[in-house]
Amino acid sequence: MAAPDAATARAAVVPARRGRLRVADRVYARIADQAVREVLAGVWAGRSTKGAPPRVSVAVPGSTVTVRVTVELPFPADLAGLAAALRERVGDRVAALTGSRVSDVVVVVEKLVAGGAW
């Protein structure tokens, strides 16, 4: 009987013993930042003034991810709707691309920027 090859031997290892994957905090932050920019791109389109770039920070306490997003939003606008869209997009994107569970997405509106096309 022939000895099993290396691929067969690796496949026989129990999944929990294969190792683990650790995603760096800066990776979560980059993914969240891109998601925020995608949502806000349409909001700022056509306005003469624009807010400062969003700031994103993440915390990974245990096996879940908490994301905090600080943004400047245009005024007038549907602030609650924008905040909900940001929470949903960031949470979905981070979870989909990393496989991590997002426990919370906190959106902080730091400033309202008046003026523009409205």
Side-chain angles (χ1 to χ4, degrees), residues 22-34 56-60 98:
R22 183 185 182 289
V23 178
D25 293 356
R26 69 179 179 269
V27 173
Y28 291 117
R30 287 287 300 260
I31 293 169
D33 182 69
Q34 181 61 36
V56 177
S57 62
V58 297
V60 188
T98 64

Side-chain angles (χ1 to χ4, degrees), residues 5-101:
D5 64 352
T8 305
R10 280 194 303 272
V13 176
V14 180
R17 301 201 51 150
R18 288 184 196 155
R20 65 186 198 125
L21 172 68
R22 183 185 182 289
V23 178
D25 293 356
R26 69 179 179 269
V27 173
Y28 291 117
R30 287 287 300 260
I31 293 169
D33 182 69
Q34 181 61 36
V36 169
R37 288 174 188 272
E38 290 168 3
V39 171
L40 294 181
V43 173
W44 291 111
R47 291 182 164 263
S48 59
T49 57
K50 302 205 185 307
R55 292 189 319 271
V56 177
S57 62
V58 297
V60 188
S63 63
T64 63
V65 180
T66 301
V67 182
R68 180 182 173 95
V69 179
T70 303
V71 293
E72 293 183 4
L73 295 178
F75 183 80
D78 177 11
L79 302 178
L82 286 172
L86 287 169
R87 281 193 302 273
E88 182 178 347
R89 179 69 171 186
V90 169
D92 290 349
R93 186 60 80 98
V94 169
L97 293 177
T98 64
S100 301
R101 190 170 79 77

